[in-house]
Amino acid sequence: MAEKFQAVRGMNDILPEEAHAWAFLEAVLRHWLGQYGYLEVRSPILESTGLFTRSIGEVTDIVEKEMYSFVDRLNGENLTLRPEATAACVRLAVQHNVLYPGPQRLWYMGPMFRHERPQKGRYRQFHQCGAEALGFAGPDIDAELMVMTARLWALLGIKEVTLEINSIGSAACRARHREKLIAYLELHRSELDDEGVRRLHSNPLRILDSKNPAMAHIIESAPRLTDDLDDESAQHFERLQFLLSSAGIPFVLNHRLVRGLDYYNGTVFEWTTPLLGAQSTICAGGRYDGLVEQLGGKPAPACGFAFGMERLLALIQETQSITIPVSAPDVYVVYQGEDTQPAAFLTADALRQAGLAAVLYCGEGGFKNQLKRADSSGAGYAVILGEDEIRNQTVSIKPLRGQGQQQTVSLTHAIQLLKQERTHA
Ligand code: HAM
């Protein structure tokens, strides 16, 4: 036997039953984003490597260790499979002058790629749904983004989530804080891991989101950015908290929340859950007021978030917070004998034209076998065509679930009955 191929490690196949749950979630998300006036954008999954190194930052986990980057051997271009889409979304907006008429609320959904160590909730190809509000300066949009995610959790019946917020201030605040942080970390140099030592002078803020438990106590007592906030950042953060409280959205202040990407400033936030083990963050975001300019656009403030769709689906499935409707045809068409096959073809098509989902038995099997298939398809009814039915220009409808009697009626009547049944289901 020929050797079988496997999907690339950390990259998941999505089989029909799961794909159905994905499509259901995607439809909910589209509707929800539309309700808030967000417009969809779709960008390529490949971008110039420089886009990510410049926006996410050279000294970050993503850029140092996790990007699928390669040189296109056909033209020598440096390309990267997108590890996230904020940079891509801003690139798209700058390239196409999307902000020319004014601020824009945009959203996207699709696969992202990071070469991380795969485990439950952490994959090398995963999917994000994200919203980016470009051109908005005030804390009202920060609040809107958090309120709308809270609304999504409610729509999906998810209760076990906590909103954590922080402000990492302006570039000037971070520069002040950086000096203090370096001085503090120098005192604890011997307790830092290799990565910490390496980042001590190049990007000390990143040390604060290290997951190394041995460094937790150093990080806990490190100088806090919130103590260095300038008036404007502090007022923005105060107003955000006021708006969240007015909207009835509980939150906790997490002074250690600094996010792992360099483009952030001011508000940062994460939605976490205790139900998904180590991968506890389902949604994350914040302000990135400098990114549009940094990527060549006219300066424009911005704020956004993205959540992992695998993590969200796992949370829905783990807590059974909503019932995802099963995918099954309305009817399954079976026939007795080869001579009735052409009529079965036409009948199935007539059912579809009437708006029903009708699957026609295909293959060699006998009648009993066909009925078994009909049953396992999940359809509510079998439509049967035999010689008698053809002769009398009728069809038989056999209920496959529950009680109900088989009836033989005209096709028009059958369509009426089946449509009625569907609206009652
Ligand atoms: P991030 O924190 O890197 O932020 O990722 C956002 C979310 O994507 C995470 O909270 C998690 O749910 C999901 N995620 C990340 N990596 C993986 C993975 N390897 N496997 C499964 N899920 C994963 C960003 O990407 C920013 N672009 C968010 C943002 C948008 N900030 C402003 N706008």
Side-chain angles (χ1 to χ4, degrees):
M1 283 237 274
E3 194 195 333
K4 291 180 190 155
F5 288 103
Q6 300 280 319
V8 175
R9 186 166 135 77
M11 303 199 179
N12 299 316
D13 294 315
I14 300 175
L15 301 179
E17 210 175 292
E18 289 167 273
H20 180 66
W22 278 81
F24 175 81
L25 179 63
E26 284 159 10
V28 171
L29 296 176
R30 264 172 202 287
H31 179 71
W32 161 71
L33 287 154
Q35 281 194 305
Y36 286 84
Y38 281 75
L39 304 175
E40 185 181 5
V41 287
R42 301 184 188 199
S43 63
I45 54 169
L46 276 180
E47 297 275 356
S48 300
T49 300
L51 172 68
F52 300 114
T53 49
R54 199 194 296 173
S55 45
I56 298 169
E58 301 266 6
V59 188
T60 57
D61 282 354
I62 295 181
V63 171
E64 282 182 344
K65 304 184 252 186
E66 296 169 0
M67 294 208 304
Y68 283 91
S69 298
F70 59 95
V71 180
D72 182 339
R73 67 188 160 79
L74 299 177
N75 61 6
E77 275 184 88
N78 289 305
L79 300 176
T80 292
L81 278 169
R82 63 181 182 194
E84 61 104 52
T86 306
C89 191
V90 171
R91 196 267 309 136
L92 169 153
V94 170
Q95 180 175 340
H96 301 281
N97 239 335
V98 170
L99 296 184
Y100 181 72
Q104 295 286 334
R105 290 173 164 93
L106 306 175
W107 71 269
Y108 52 81
M109 183 148 72
M112 311 290 155
F113 303 83
R114 296 185 194 175
H115 196 106
E116 296 192 80
R117 200 164 44 78
Q119 53 173 256
K120 186 171 178 256
R122 189 164 74 192
Y123 309 104
R124 290 182 175 170
Q125 175 176 320
F126 60 98
H127 298 74
Q128 279 185 347
C129 174
E132 312 289 358
L134 305 179
F136 296 88
D140 49 351
I141 198 81
D142 307 14
E144 180 184 276
L145 288 161
M146 295 177 207
V147 172
M148 72 189 267
T149 31
R151 171 97 189 94
L152 176 64
W153 313 142
L155 264 175
L156 297 174
I158 294 170
K159 297 189 185 75
E160 303 78 0
V161 280
T162 305
L163 172 61
E164 300 180 21
I165 63 171
N166 192 20
S167 174
I168 60 167
S170 62
C173 306
R174 285 197 303 285
R176 269 199 307 277
H177 173 257
R178 183 190 156 98
E179 296 304 311
K180 290 190 200 169
L181 187 59
I182 292 176
Y184 167 84
L185 292 171
E186 279 289 5
L187 293 176
H188 297 274
R189 196 185 181 101
S190 60
E191 295 158 83
L192 297 178
D193 58 15
D194 291 349
E195 195 170 86
V197 172
R198 199 163 47 75
R199 291 176 170 180
L200 183 51
H201 289 273
S202 55
N203 200 348
L205 197 60
R206 288 285 74 81
I207 299 176
L208 298 186
D209 54 38
S210 162
K211 300 283 177 289
N212 183 350
M215 283 169 31
H217 66 287
I218 309 173
I219 293 170
E220 180 58 42
S221 317
R224 291 173 172 183
L225 257 165
T226 22
D227 297 334
D228 276 303
L229 289 190
D230 53 55
D231 287 351
E232 204 185 325
S233 303
Q235 276 163 19
H236 185 109
F237 197 43
E238 283 285 311
R239 182 75 188 165
L240 165 66
Q241 292 176 57
F242 169 75
L243 289 171
L244 287 175
S245 302
S246 322
I249 307 294
F251 57 88
V252 292
L253 294 176
N254 178 354
H255 302 288
R256 289 181 308 278
L257 182 63
V258 289
R259 307 277 302 124
L261 301 88
D262 282 354
Y263 51 60
Y264 291 110
N265 69 284
T267 310
V268 288
F269 65 100
E270 289 190 356
W271 286 92
T272 57
T273 175
L275 301 182
L276 294 181
Q279 306 311 314
S280 59
T281 309
I282 47 170
C283 176
R287 285 215 147 260
Y288 46 95
D289 293 329
L291 189 59
V292 175
E293 186 179 14
Q294 210 183 335
L295 295 181
K298 277 227 221 97
C303 190
F305 65 72
F307 54 82
M309 308 240 317
E310 284 81 358
R311 291 187 194 175
L312 186 54
L313 274 169
L315 200 54
I316 293 170
Q317 275 151 5
E318 209 120 314
T319 58
Q320 307 256 304
S321 61
I322 46 161
T323 314
I324 296 176
V326 289
S327 123
D330 299 309
V331 288
Y332 198 99
V333 181
V334 298
Y335 55 92
Q336 282 170 310
E338 216 172 285
D339 293 347
T340 51
Q341 194 184 38
F345 251 85
L346 292 177
T347 304
D349 226 33
L351 292 165
R352 293 179 198 122
Q353 280 180 38
L356 294 157
V359 174
L360 172 65
Y361 180 86
C362 285
E364 296 286 306
F367 187 61
K368 242 183 154 174
N369 198 15
Q370 294 191 29
L371 274 180
K372 261 197 206 150
R373 271 299 167 77
D375 194 42
S376 60
S377 75
Y381 291 84
V383 164
I384 304 169
L385 281 147
E387 278 164 17
D388 285 351
E389 281 85 357
I390 305 265
R391 196 173 322 111
N392 302 326
Q393 299 200 336
T394 54
V395 296
S396 293
I397 321 177
K398 180 180 164 63
L400 295 170
R401 335 259 141 223
Q403 307 298 314
Q405 294 289 316
Q406 181 166 326
Q407 349 177 13
T408 302
V409 293
S410 71
L411 179 59
T412 321
H413 191 186
I415 287 173
Q416 259 174 13
L417 290 174
L418 290 165
K419 287 180 90 169
Q420 263 168 22
E421 281 306 313
R422 198 170 61 162
T423 45
H424 293 151

